[in-house]
Amino acid sequence: VGACMKRVWCVRHGQAEHNTPGHDNLSWTARAQLRDPALTLLGLKQASAAPSCPILEGAIASLGLIVASPLMRTLQTALEFRKAARSTVPIVAHPHLQECGDVPCDTGRPKSELEHEFPSVDFAELDSCADNWFVKPGLNSKDSLACRALEERCQRLTAWLASRTEKSILLVGHHTFFKRLLRVELMNCEAVEMGLREPVADMADWRGHWKLQCADGIIVPIYSSRGKVIRDADHHLQATLSTVYALYGEPAAQQSASRAGITWTPEM
């Protein structure tokens, strides 16, 4: 990473109650109605194991700050990570990191409730919106207002991170938000290391300040089994081949590998 680049590790939260098909035999529509769901037992284990993954184990000694979405699953992931890493690095909750939907599973709770449940987390960034930080338009590709609001959140978070004095930061966030911020798809507790160029003087070019540095495998552009580009808004998404396989199936992983000039076989 260059002299003017921060090191930012981005981690998706562990498995939560709403994103496991087997939870109480509920459909996705029903699971989405769970308000601010917690991590499952597997999700807690994933978060505790995260500090030992190759991408993150070398980051712990230099880490200056953990920034987490104020939703329960991300706060739990951040706390489990810090505990397992035997670290005392501060955790700051930031509303710009929250997930993008307006369904109950992506809807948080007032600052006063969170402070009571998570007394070791700094919630000062919620001061100006303590009771409604979680109110937002649901993301829909045809809804220009929601798309614009999400882009502005990404811009403001990028500028806020670049303005911090810490040079090594861990972000704990969400699948859809990271797709828009980084153009990368992540599985539960999967991590990527990014470089963030500072300062962010030109907000119109905020996306150009992020640079992918390292992942748990080779990152490739994602194609469907029929060779269709997988996009978020107008941007071609990327992922490791293991993540493409998990999210889109083996034919899509083979197609993505072939397009990248890579020979790939699924791990059994």
Side-chain angles (χ1 to χ4, degrees):
V1 181
C4 295
M5 297 279 274
K6 290 182 187 289
R7 301 180 75 185
V8 182
W9 291 269
C10 299
V11 184
R12 185 184 172 194
H13 61 79
Q15 184 193 72
E17 293 171 336
H18 70 300
N19 55 24
T20 170
H23 180 69
D24 293 337
N25 296 314
L26 298 177
S27 67
W28 158 246
T29 301
R31 283 181 280 125
Q33 299 307 307
L34 297 169
R35 175 72 180 265
D36 196 15
L39 294 180
T40 62
L41 288 176
L42 174 58
L44 290 167
K45 291 178 180 178
Q46 290 171 332
S48 294
S52 61
C53 84
I55 294 296
L56 294 172
E57 63 180 351
I60 295 169
S62 64
L63 205 58
L65 180 68
I66 297 175
V67 185
S69 154
L71 289 167
M72 176 174 280
R73 56 192 181 270
T74 34
L75 293 171
Q76 288 181 307
T77 300
L79 287 163
E80 288 296 319
F81 177 95
R82 185 173 69 174
K83 178 182 177 181
R86 299 181 180 180
S87 172
T88 58
V89 65
I91 298 175
V92 171
H94 203 299
H96 292 342
L97 256 177
Q98 67 180 293
E99 187 57 301
C100 307
D102 59 355
V103 290
C105 68
D106 292 337
T107 302
R109 290 169 294 139
K111 178 188 173 191
S112 57
E113 289 186 32
L114 297 174
E115 287 179 320
H116 178 72
E117 287 184 45
F118 302 99
S120 66
V121 175
D122 180 354
F123 291 99
E125 292 296 328
L126 275 62
D127 284 350
S128 63
C129 49
D131 295 324
N132 65 353
W133 63 267
F134 44 81
V135 177
K136 56 192 179 294
L139 184 61
N140 185 311
S141 60
K142 297 180 181 179
D143 185 341
S144 59
L145 175 63
C147 288
R148 187 163 59 250
L150 178 55
E151 288 288 321
E152 290 173 356
R153 262 211 285 150
C154 290
Q155 290 175 354
R156 291 195 295 268
L157 179 67
T158 300
W160 182 83
L161 290 168
S163 73
R164 297 288 304 194
T165 58
E166 298 89 358
K167 297 300 181 183
S168 298
I169 300 173
L170 177 73
L171 296 188
V172 184
H174 303 270
H175 180 241
T176 304
F177 183 78
F178 279 146
K179 285 201 301 183
R180 187 58 57 92
L181 181 71
L182 309 175
R183 304 178 185 171
V184 173
E185 293 223 54
L186 298 172
M187 298 297 290
N188 291 126
C189 275
E190 184 179 1
V192 291
E193 180 185 344
M194 304 293 297
L196 175 59
R197 193 172 81 248
E198 54 180 329
V200 181
D202 180 8
M203 288 300 290
D205 186 39
W206 66 270
R207 198 181 293 280
H209 286 258
W210 289 100
K211 183 178 180 181
L212 181 66
Q213 301 291 332
C214 190
D216 278 334
I218 298 173
I219 293 277
V220 299
I222 307 174
Y223 291 88
S224 73
S225 59
R226 296 184 178 182
K228 181 181 177 181
V229 171
I230 303 297
R231 300 180 183 275
D232 176 66
D234 294 327
H235 306 297
H236 197 164
L237 290 172
Q238 306 175 84
T240 63
L241 286 168
S242 60
T243 294
V244 178
Y245 176 53
L247 293 176
Y248 298 98
E250 184 175 346
Q254 294 286 9
Q255 182 75 238
S256 300
S258 176
R259 297 263 183 153
I262 299 170
T263 300
W264 175 85
T265 54
E267 295 180 3
M268 304 304 292

